[in-house]
Structures are given as C-alpha cells and as structure tokens.
Amino acid sequence: MKIPAIALFARAPVVGRVKTRLIGPLTAAGACELHQALVVDAWEVLGGECFLYTDQDHEAWRRLAGERLRLQRGADLGERMLRCFEEMAAAGFGPLLIVGSDTVGLTWESLGSWKDCGAALGPAEDGGYWAVGCQAPHPGMFAGVEWSSGETLVQTVAAMERCGMVVSFLDTCYDADTPEDLARLEAEPRVGPRVRAWLEGRGRL
C-alpha cells in the first residue's frame, strides 16, 4: 500500500534573496526571518508525511528536515514541481501534494480531502495557488502555464484537464509577499506560533 507524501517548497533562508518585495517596510534580515518563521510553522503543521524541497542546500533547512531535505530540480516552477512529484512517486509514495511555504494560516483542515482527489489545487487570492496535488504525476500537467501571473490557476486547471485529471479545489488562502500582505498578516488570527512571535517582536524571533 502506498503512503501519502507532502513536499513543502521553500527557498533557502538567504538574507536579501527571500521576501524581497517586503524589503523596505522590513530590513532584508527581517524579511528573511519572516520567511523562516513561515516555513518552520508550515513544516510543523505538515509533520511526518512531509519532505522539504529547497532551491539550495542550507544549514537551517538541514537542521529542520534532516534526511527529508531534498533539492528542487528544473528550469522553472512547473518543471521543479513535476520532477518533485516524479521523484516521490518513484520512491513509492502516493497520493502526492506540494505546498508553498508562504501560505498564511495553513492547517490540516485547509488541506481538505486532498488524498481522495484525482488532482487538487489550493487557490491563492492572486490568481495562483498555494498547493497542488495528484494521485500520480502526468508529464503534461503543467504544460503551457504562465507562472506568477493572474492566470496561473486557470491555466493549470486547463492543463490538468487536458491530461484527463479531475480537479478538486481546497480552501482559498493568501501569501505573505507584499507590504499590503504584511499589514494583513499583522491582523491575522490564524498565524502559527513562530510567525506570531516574529510579529510581536518585529524581527526578533
């Protein structure tokens, strides 16, 4: 019997390379600390079924994930997600889910019944999505998708349907990416404990 698996996608916490749209209202170091707080909170929610997929090896992520740390491979986001799915499927896992690390208020409840869906997408308010799942990957499931656009979700649904996948939707969430998101985050009751500590100290985790 296959075991479900989740991949948390998170960039390495390198100052000046993460949460760059928040630099200004925050220092580069403060933006990096917020990123790290979001990732750790998400990791602790997702727990034992989770692997941490990152863009480069980093000591902080090695301490967090240990043997469950993996490197993303691919030229763009679609290729990196497809290769992640293929890698987990080849290891015998299924169904499969990828979750973005910027999602505010991530809970098990927000994941819904993703394990029972042919394919699952968690819509984000900006037109993208914070989660994507499948029973098994298909080579064309991200074909023709324009990343980081207001059409990313719609185009992914179309690509999956062309592959014969039946798409279900999880809860709609938002990411903490912009100064406007930061203001909203400060009033958000659903944040995890590390983000809450960061908000209370504004950069002093």
Side-chain angles (χ1 to χ4, degrees), residues 8-21 23 31-40 52-62 64 69-72 77 80 99-102 148 177:
L8 179 64
F9 266 39
R11 296 185 67 183
V14 178
V15 174
R17 294 188 59 188
V18 293
K19 296 293 178 198
T20 55
R21 285 182 286 174
I23 297 174
C32 186
E33 288 175 348
L34 173 57
H35 170 71
Q36 193 164 354
L38 284 162
V39 173
V40 175
L52 180 59
Y53 273 77
T54 188
D55 59 331
Q56 66 181 76
D57 192 16
H58 193 282
E59 181 182 358
W61 289 171
R62 289 198 303 273
L64 180 66
L69 182 65
R70 301 286 188 274
L71 290 179
Q72 299 172 15
L77 179 58
R80 291 193 294 272
V99 176
S101 61
D102 297 333
S148 300
D177 283 331

Side-chain angles (χ1 to χ4, degrees), residues 11 23 28 33 50 55 61 64-65 77 97 100 103 113 125 130 135 141 144 148 161 165 171-172 175 177 186 188 194:
R11 296 185 67 183
I23 297 174
E33 288 175 348
C50 193
D55 59 331
W61 289 171
L64 180 66
L77 179 58
L97 185 72
T103 308
S113 56
E125 293 181 2
W130 59 270
Q135 294 295 318
M141 63 189 297
S148 300
E161 289 179 343
M165 293 176 159
D171 290 350
T172 299
D175 295 340
D177 283 331
E186 291 172 340
E188 175 60 64
R194 282 165 180 77

Side-chain angles (χ1 to χ4, degrees), residues 58-138:
H58 193 282
E59 181 182 358
W61 289 171
R62 289 198 303 273
R63 291 197 305 267
L64 180 66
E67 294 182 351
R68 288 182 169 259
L69 182 65
R70 301 286 188 274
L71 290 179
Q72 299 172 15
R73 297 178 298 117
D76 62 15
L77 179 58
E79 188 175 347
R80 291 193 294 272
M81 292 194 297
L82 180 59
R83 289 191 175 185
C84 169
F85 278 147
E86 290 173 341
E87 185 175 299
M88 292 196 296
F93 292 103
L96 310 168
L97 185 72
I98 294 172
V99 176
S101 61
D102 297 333
T103 308
V104 176
L106 177 67
T107 64
W108 268 112
E109 290 72 24
S110 65
L111 298 178
S113 56
W114 72 271
K115 295 177 185 178
D116 301 320
C117 300
L121 288 165
E125 293 181 2
D126 61 4
Y129 45 91
W130 59 270
V132 55
C134 61
Q135 294 295 318
H138 188 287

